[in-house]
Amino acid sequence: MKLANRYSDMQPSGMVKIFQAIEKMEGVLNLSIGEPDFDTEHDIIDAAANAARSGFTHYPPLQGFVDVRAAVCDYWKRHHGLDATPEEVYMGVGGIQIPSLAMQALLDPGDEVILIEPYFPPYAAQVKAAEGVAVAVRTREENGFAPALDDLKRATTPRTKLLVLNSPGNPTGRVIPRGQMEEIAAFVAERDLLLLSDEIYEALIYRGKHTAFATLPGMKERTLTMGGMSKSHCMTGWRVGYAIGPAELIRVITLIAANQTYGLNTLAQKGSAYALANHDAKLIERRKIFAERMNYVVERLNKMKGVACAPAEGAFYLFPNITGTGLSSEDFVWKLLENAHVATIPGSAFGESGKGYIRIACTCSMENLTKAMDKMEAFLKTL
Ligand code: PLP
């Protein structure tokens, strides 16, 4: 068998390598996975099951049920002031499907996509699969890992079509302040670019308020907003994501996806509509729990020799600087896993700007976070 040239050197990403290593180990305290530890609430499961009993067991409409898309619009209007109609929404198989479809719809071979480091690794693979060219822009912790305008200018060429922004960000947990977003918006307009705004962590903000990029003046027609049910509503296994954007782009995305998935699981859509309409109080409850966990971990990390961690801002990730330990992020993470059975992700898995950092997901109980911090502290004393 001869694989396609572009996939003949396919290797697991730095993130997947850790996940695969953990599968073979026992008793690991897992701070590597970007998945809330809470199960989906039972009333959401009941809503999906009831829909099935009342006959929703057939193929879904290709773009998504109109009532489900309307629930997405209501949610975004209520929480973020974003005005959208169901015509401007596509229901996809996880948030992860959205950038992939957007790139297929938008890129001609050789078109360039700007990715802001450190970034969610699938973006780069999706650019490659769509025959585009990923152009990475470095960022620095001093600037909150937001892109500097000069760096964006240097990275932009006449072939640049799309800029991908992710705030609250994975892996940094940083939130790009509104002022910086406005600068980026002005740049996007000046260079006539489109912006893919990955806002999957919109519900998880601990400081300030989330700014939906599409609500900035003039940005709605240039922005494809990506959201989903995985992180906000603890529905990772349901695989529900969505895109909100210009109707023509949504139309083409829907047609491309028709040849790939033929719509999003009917029951998952019905459960999602219920969750979007009824679970605002739960979002607040869980945000509080994540904030407590993250504040605790930040405090513990900052007492450890060689480790410095900025306060939690968003998502459920912390991205401590570990350069003071003398270890590279890869060595730190693999030694910590092998010697202390605590799993994290090396910052380098998210691009060059992540070197010297590790990603910690606060997605387990306070009890396990306490144990993990005790073990990390003991591990650092052995260096
Ligand atoms: N975008 C970012 C930044 C993520 O961290 C994730 C998941 O970890 C996704 C998108 C995709 O999430 P899902 O496909 O579960 O909706």
Side-chain angles (χ1 to χ4, degrees), residues 5 46 50 70 80 85 104 109 112 143 146 160 171-172 176 193-194 210 214 225 261 276 281 293-294 306 366 369:
N5 285 339
D46 290 342
N50 289 340
H80 307 302
T85 62
Q104 291 170 62
E112 293 170 13
N143 302 333
T160 310
T172 64
I176 301 179
L193 304 178
L194 292 166
H210 176 68
T225 304
T261 55
L276 286 165
R293 291 175 178 180
M294 291 170 85
M366 202 61 152
L369 286 172

Side-chain angles (χ1 to χ4, degrees), residues 296-353:
Y296 168 76
V297 174
V298 169
E299 208 179 301
R300 289 291 308 266
L301 288 170
N302 282 326
K303 286 187 186 138
M304 293 182 203
K305 203 165 157 257
V307 180
C309 187
E313 290 184 357
F316 30 56
Y317 304 113
L318 295 169
F319 204 56
N321 184 324
I322 50 90
T323 46
T325 64
L327 295 177
S328 70
S329 46
E330 294 264 333
D331 281 349
F332 186 109
V333 163
W334 284 100
K335 284 191 168 137
L336 181 68
L337 181 60
E338 279 151 20
N339 300 342
H341 284 203
V342 175
T344 56
I345 304 279
S348 54
F350 306 94
E352 290 287 309
S353 310

